[in-house]
Amino acid sequence: MAGKDLKKVHQFLKDVGTYYLATEDGDTPRVRPFGTALLFEDKIYVLTAKAKNVSRKIEKNPRFELSAMDKDDRWIRVSGELKEDNRIDVHHAILEEYPHLKNAYTAGDDNTNTLYFDIESAVIYSFTEEPQILEV
């Protein structure tokens, strides 16, 4: 069962459009822009390609942190693990939510990789307010 604030995390990511996902490459951090955030079955899903370096990095170490800033100068920081879920219905759902990706991805192919955030912590920060710790 998802926490009461999972929808807040999802809406924040949808509203900003682009968030930055940090992974690890040995002892070097890697940060990449992402733009997918599908709320499906009480989880937030992302899409990438299995052929991309980011998929190989996540397979070796699924720990992540992401961050994004909105137009009101609030930012979110989310951390946890990315878990693979390549069920065909997840593929279909994310490609319906982001139809422009159908040019590069096909549901059920060998390259489409859908993962969900197994969130350990999520906090919204501001320059003017106390941090808002979310229950996810």
Side-chain angles (χ1 to χ4, degrees), residues 18-86:
T18 301
Y19 56 92
Y20 297 89
L21 181 74
T23 60
E24 178 188 29
D25 183 7
D27 63 351
T28 304
R30 299 286 182 210
V31 179
R32 297 166 178 87
F34 270 74
T36 54
L38 171 72
L39 186 60
F40 184 79
E41 297 178 349
D42 290 330
K43 296 179 179 92
I44 300 171
Y45 283 84
V46 300
L47 172 75
T48 190
K50 291 180 183 177
K52 290 184 176 180
N53 281 336
V54 67
S55 286
R56 289 188 290 277
K57 302 308 174 202
I58 292 167
E59 189 175 331
K60 284 184 181 179
N61 183 351
R63 307 271 323 141
F64 79 91
E65 185 164 274
L66 70 79
S67 187
M69 183 172 261
D70 71 10
K71 61 182 179 9
D72 298 320
D73 290 332
R74 297 177 317 138
W75 64 97
I76 193 167
R77 185 176 295 145
V78 181
S79 61
E81 288 191 10
L82 280 158
K83 299 201 173 173
E84 195 172 284
D85 182 354
N86 280 304

Side-chain angles (χ1 to χ4, degrees), residues 74-75 123-133:
R74 297 177 317 138
W75 64 97
V123 182
I124 296 175
Y125 297 91
S126 164
F127 291 114
T128 59
E129 299 172 10
E130 290 296 314
Q132 182 183 358
I133 300 169

Side-chain angles (χ1 to χ4, degrees), residues 8-19:
K8 282 185 185 179
V9 173
H10 175 252
Q11 194 60 54
F12 197 103
L13 297 178
K14 291 288 284 186
D15 289 346
V16 298
T18 301
Y19 56 92

